[in-house]
Amino acid sequence: MNERSEPVGEGHMSDDHAHLSLAVAEADGDARWAFGTGFTDPLHGVDTAVPPTVQAPALAAYCLALGDDALVSAQRLGEWCTRAPELEEEVALANIGLDLLGQARLLYTRAGQAEGGGRSEDDLAYFRDPSEFRNVRLAELPNGDFAFSVARLLVLSAWRLAVFERLAGCPDPVLAAIAAKGVKELTYHRQYAADWVVRLGDGTEESHRRMQQGLDEVAPHLGELLTGETAFGTGAAPVADELTAVLRQVADAAGLTLPQTAPLPGSGRDGDHTEHLAPLLAELQSVARAHPGAVW
Amino acid sequence: MTTTTHRPATAGADPQLQEHFDATIGADQRIEPRDWMPDAYRNTLIRQIAQHAHSEIIGMQPEGEWITRAPSLRRKATLFAKVQDEAGHGLYLYSAAETLGADRDELTEKLITGRQKYSSIFNYPTLSFADVGVIGWFVDGAAICNQVPLCRTSYGPYARAMVRVCKEESFHQRQGYELLLTMMRGTPSQREMVQDAVNRWWWPSLMMFGPPDDNSPNSAQSMAWKIKRHGNDELRQRFVDMTVPQAEKLGVTLPDPELRWNADRGHHDFGTPDWDELRRVITGDGPCNTERVARRRAAHEEGAWVREAAAAHAAKQAAREDAARRNAALGNAALSHKDGETA
C-alpha cells in the first residue's frame, strides 16, 4: 500500500488544486487537452493484439466492467459541477471526474478491441441499455451530500487502486498500461477522499454526524467490491484485505466507526442495478441518441 | 462600501505619493500590491476584478449544464475540462482581488445577494449542444478581445492573471470552433442547430463589450488609469472583423442584415445591438438571472457546513500540534533537570 501523508490543513489546501492544474496547463501545452482531444497516448508503442494466453471474451467483459465503474462515477462527479461547497472542490472533483472519464475511454476502447465486433468507446457508452451495464451499484447511487460523495469516493478509489496496482502486471499489455497510468491518478483520488473523511469526521458535530451517516450508507455496498469476481491475477482476498485496511485506517484517523453491515444481495457486475442507473444513463445518452448519424 | 479590512489607509496621503503613482502610470509601469494607490483606483479595480471573477464562476453554469449530456466521450471530457478551467480562472481572479485587500467570502456574499454583477452574457440559456460550440467561438472570442489588452493593464497581479487566462481561453475558443466545424459536416439537423445557436448568441456577444463609448460612464477614468486601454466600440469592431471570415469558413450566416465590408473604413459595418435589452439583462431581467444567482447561492449555503468543518478541523489540528510541542518541551525540561540532579 502506498504511504499516506497526514491530511493537509485547510490553509494549505486553499492554494494547491487550482494552481496545480494551472501549472499543468502551462507545462504540457496541448496535452492539457489529453482527456479530450490531442492526448499523449498511454498505449503508444503497445501492441494491441490480444495475446494468445489471454481469453479475449473475459478480457472484454473485465474492461467493460471497469470502464462502466469509471464512466458512471465520472457522470456523478460531473453532477457536482457548479454545486461544490468551495471553488477548490469544484476544481478537485472535476480533476477526478476527468481522470475517470479518461480511464473509461481507454477501457472501452480495449473492450471493443477484445470483443472483436468493432464497437467504439462511444458505442459502448451511448448505445447500451442499463441492463447491459456492469458497474457496481455503489457508483450509480445519487450524490447525496458531500459526506456521502467523499465516503463513496474513498471506497471506490481505494478498491480501484488496489486492483490497478495488481493489474499493472497483468498478461494483457494494454490493460497493464492503462492500469499503470491509472495508479497515479487513483493515488490522488484516494488521498483527496481520505483527507475529507478525516476533516469531516473530526470537524464539527454536524460534519461528524453526516460523515458517519455517509459511511453507514456506503457500508451495505462494500460486499459487491469485497466478494466480487476478480480476474487477471488481481486476487479477491488481497484486494479485499487492502480495501478493509485502508477504510479502517481512515475511519480511525477520523474518529468514525466502520459499520458492520450485511451486504445487499445481488451485484451490478451481474447486471443487477438500482432504480438510479436508468435515469443516469437516459441523461448521459440523450443527445447522442436523439441525433442518429450525427458526428460530434 | 467595498471590503476594506486590511487595506492600508490612504486618507490624508502625502501629495508625493500621488505624484509617484501618477508618474508610474505615466511611464507605463505596473502598480504592485504594496504600492500606494488612490482609493478610487483600488475600488475600481476591486469592483472590476470581482466582477470578472464572478463572471468566470457564473459562466460555468450555462455550459456546465451539458457536461452530463455531451454526445461523445471526447466532447464530454473537453467540456468538463473547460468548465474546470473557468473555476480555476475564478480562483485566480479572486486571489488578485485579495491583493487589494478584498476578501473572497465577502465578494461571494455580494454576488449571491445581487450587490455585485457579472457578465450579462451568462444570463442567456443554453438550448442545444451547439450552444457549447458557439459559446466557445463567440463568448470566449469576445472575452479574448476584451482581455488581451488587460494583460498590459496597470495593476500587476491583474495583468499577470490575464496572461494565464487568455492562454486558456484561446484553447477554449479553438475547441468551440472545431466542434462547430465538425457539426457543420454532420446531418442537416446538426447544421440547423449550429445556425440557430449563432442566431441566438450573436447579439448578446456584441453586447459583451459594454455600451457605446459615449454612454459608458466609467470608461474615461479607467482609460486614464490605464486599467482599460481600448474603448468598447473599438473592441467590438475588432471582434466583428475577426469573426466574419470565421463565419464564412464555417458556412453560417451572422444574423445582421446591415453587416457588410466597408472598404473606406477598412472595417465591417454592422447593425446596432438592442441596448434596451442589455440594460434589462444587466438590471436583472435577463432570461436566467434569477436561476444563475440562485444556483450559486444554493451551492454556497449548502456547502457552509463543509467549510466550517474544514476550518474546525484545521484549528483542532493546530491545537493538537501545539500541545504536542509543549509536552515535548516540558519533557525535555524535565529531562535536563534530572540530568542536572545526577551531575
Side-chain angles (χ1 to χ4, degrees), chain B residues 22 108 121 161 166 182 236:
Chain B
D22 293 341
T108 302
I121 192 83
C166 283
T182 307
R236 190 167 11 249

Side-chain angles (χ1 to χ4, degrees), chain A residues 107-182:
Chain A
L107 288 161
Y108 283 156
T109 303
R110 187 53 173 164
Q113 290 162 349
E115 68 179 17
R119 285 200 286 183
S120 70
E121 58 175 60
D122 286 340
D123 292 334
L124 291 169
Y126 292 95
F127 296 96
R128 279 183 304 144
D129 290 335
S131 63
E132 298 171 83
F133 272 72
R134 290 293 178 267
N135 57 284
V136 291
R137 288 171 297 187
L138 181 57
E140 74 205 27
L141 298 179
N143 279 338
D145 66 1
F146 188 68
F148 175 79
S149 281
V150 294
R152 164 169 58 193
L153 181 62
L154 177 66
V155 170
L156 290 178
S157 59
W159 177 82
R160 198 170 174 87
L161 177 57
V163 170
F164 273 38
E165 278 170 343
R166 288 162 178 87
L167 281 179
C170 88
D172 178 50
V174 176
L175 180 55
I178 296 170
K181 176 178 186 278

Side-chain angles (χ1 to χ4, degrees), chain A residues 18 22 25-26 30 32-33 35-36 75 82-83 85-86 88 91 95 122 126 202-203 283-284 294-296, chain B residues 68 70-77 84-85 91 104 164 167-168 171 190 295 307 309-310 313 316 320:
Chain A
L22 292 171
E26 191 150 77
D30 279 319
R32 178 72 182 79
W33 293 95
F35 322 107
Q75 183 77 354
T82 74
R83 294 175 176 87
E86 188 58 294
E88 283 79 358
V91 176
N95 257 335
D122 286 340
Y126 292 95
D202 183 49
E283 181 177 355
L284 188 149
V295 284
W296 307 99
Chain B
T68 55
S72 79
L73 295 183
R74 173 169 163 262
R75 295 294 177 195
K76 194 180 187 74
Q84 182 196 34
D85 280 347
L91 274 173
R104 184 166 120 196
R164 175 69 53 79
K167 242 191 240 178
E168 295 191 353
F171 265 131
Q190 283 187 294
R295 165 80 66 84
R307 297 190 299 275
H313 167 70
K316 284 184 187 178
R320 280 191 289 260

Side-chain angles (χ1 to χ4, degrees), chain A residues 4-296:
Chain A
R4 292 181 50 250
S5 59
E6 280 295 301
V8 283
E10 188 65 352
H12 177 73
M13 195 194 74
S14 49
D15 300 306
D16 60 5
H17 300 311
H19 287 259
L20 269 181
S21 67
L22 292 171
V24 167
E26 191 150 77
D28 291 347
D30 279 319
R32 178 72 182 79
W33 293 95
F35 322 107
T37 51
F39 88 90
T40 349
D41 184 1
L43 303 182
H44 180 74
V46 177
D47 184 0
T48 56
V50 178
T53 54
V54 173
Q55 288 202 329
L59 176 64
Y62 196 55
C63 288
L64 203 58
L66 290 174
D68 287 347
D69 282 350
L71 178 64
V72 170
S73 298
Q75 183 77 354
R76 287 300 185 209
L77 288 161
E79 291 174 12
W80 268 108
C81 183
T82 74
R83 294 175 176 87
E86 188 58 294
L87 297 179
E88 283 79 358
E89 272 41 71
E90 287 287 349
V91 176
L93 294 171
N95 257 335
I96 297 170
L98 280 162
D99 285 344
L100 291 169
L101 198 48
Q103 291 178 13
R105 296 181 60 192
L106 293 167
L107 288 161
Y108 283 156
T109 303
R110 187 53 173 164
Q113 290 162 349
E115 68 179 17
R119 285 200 286 183
S120 70
E121 58 175 60
D122 286 340
D123 292 334
L124 291 169
Y126 292 95
F127 296 96
R128 279 183 304 144
D129 290 335
S131 63
E132 298 171 83
F133 272 72
R134 290 293 178 267
N135 57 284
V136 291
R137 288 171 297 187
L138 181 57
E140 74 205 27
L141 298 179
N143 279 338
D145 66 1
F146 188 68
F148 175 79
S149 281
V150 294
R152 164 169 58 193
L153 181 62
L154 177 66
V155 170
L156 290 178
S157 59
W159 177 82
R160 198 170 174 87
L161 177 57
V163 170
F164 273 38
E165 278 170 343
R166 288 162 178 87
L167 281 179
C170 88
D172 178 50
V174 176
L175 180 55
I178 296 170
K181 176 178 186 278
V183 162
K184 290 175 222 143
E185 297 166 348
L186 292 160
T187 303
Y188 163 70
H189 304 177
R190 191 181 69 175
Q191 181 69 50
Y192 175 82
D195 286 350
W196 270 111
V197 171
V198 171
R199 273 189 208 111
L200 297 179
D202 183 49
T204 63
E205 228 170 274
E206 182 185 9
S207 71
H208 181 86
R209 178 182 58 75
R210 286 181 185 248
M211 196 61 245
Q212 185 60 57
Q213 195 181 331
L215 286 185
D216 293 350
E217 283 168 13
V218 300
H221 295 277
L222 285 174
E224 237 177 346
L225 295 165
L226 294 174
T227 60
E229 256 182 70
T230 56
F232 302 98
T234 50
V239 168
D241 290 348
E242 183 174 324
L243 174 58
T244 311
V246 169
L247 294 181
R248 192 162 297 141
Q249 188 190 350
V250 175
D252 283 351
L256 298 162
T257 321
L258 267 190
Q260 302 297 317
T261 317
L264 292 169
S267 171
R269 297 281 187 243
D270 303 323
D272 304 325
H273 290 288
T274 66
E275 72 274 29
H276 305 294
L277 180 64
L280 178 146
L281 291 176
E283 181 177 355
L284 188 149
Q285 298 170 336
S286 56
V287 178
R289 290 191 177 199
H291 298 274
V295 284
W296 307 99

Side-chain angles (χ1 to χ4, degrees), chain B residues 124-180:
Chain B
Y124 290 87
T126 42
L127 302 181
S128 83
F129 195 70
D131 290 38
V132 167
V134 172
I135 287 177
W137 178 31
F138 284 171
V139 177
D140 288 273
I144 292 165
C145 286
N146 268 331
Q147 289 168 14
V148 164
L150 287 177
C151 297
R152 296 186 300 119
T153 196
S154 60
Y155 186 59
Y158 191 27
R160 288 187 287 275
M162 281 303 103
V163 173
R164 175 69 53 79
V165 169
C166 283
K167 242 191 240 178
E168 295 191 353
E169 275 173 2
S170 63
F171 265 131
H172 301 163
Q173 197 201 14
R174 272 194 284 155
Q175 290 293 332
Y177 191 65
E178 192 264 334
L179 168 61
L180 299 177

Side-chain angles (χ1 to χ4, degrees), chain B residues 158-296:
Chain B
Y158 191 27
R160 288 187 287 275
M162 281 303 103
V163 173
R164 175 69 53 79
V165 169
C166 283
K167 242 191 240 178
E168 295 191 353
E169 275 173 2
S170 63
F171 265 131
H172 301 163
Q173 197 201 14
R174 272 194 284 155
Q175 290 293 332
Y177 191 65
E178 192 264 334
L179 168 61
L180 299 177
L181 281 171
T182 307
M183 288 182 70
M184 291 300 284
R185 288 195 296 263
T187 63
S189 90
Q190 283 187 294
R191 282 190 285 279
E192 275 170 36
M193 282 166 76
V194 174
Q195 182 63 56
D196 173 62
V198 165
N199 294 347
R200 285 182 288 108
W201 288 94
W202 174 248
W203 290 108
S205 299
L206 291 188
M207 295 178 199
M208 282 179 72
F209 297 93
D213 293 331
D214 51 21
N215 187 21
S216 178
N218 300 322
S219 282
Q221 179 60 75
S222 284
M223 299 271 267
W225 276 329
K226 296 185 182 171
I227 293 175
K228 198 174 162 144
R229 288 178 174 266
H230 302 275
N232 296 349
D233 292 324
E234 181 189 348
L235 291 168
R236 190 167 11 249
Q237 179 73 59
R238 191 179 292 178
F239 174 73
V240 171
D241 290 340
M242 185 181 91
T243 307
V244 168
Q246 294 168 351
E248 277 165 17
K249 186 180 166 203
L250 193 58
V252 295
T253 310
L254 299 173
D256 178 359
E258 294 173 50
L259 183 66
R260 66 180 56 83
W261 176 250
N262 181 330
D264 295 338
R265 291 203 306 127
H267 290 293
H268 292 88
D269 292 338
F270 56 97
T272 308
D274 180 351
W275 298 121
D276 287 337
E277 178 181 322
L278 178 64
R279 236 184 322 274
R280 282 196 304 275
V281 179
I282 286 181
T283 52
D285 270 340
C288 303
N289 297 51
T290 310
E291 73 177 82
R292 299 288 186 240
V293 173
R295 165 80 66 84
R296 182 72 193 100

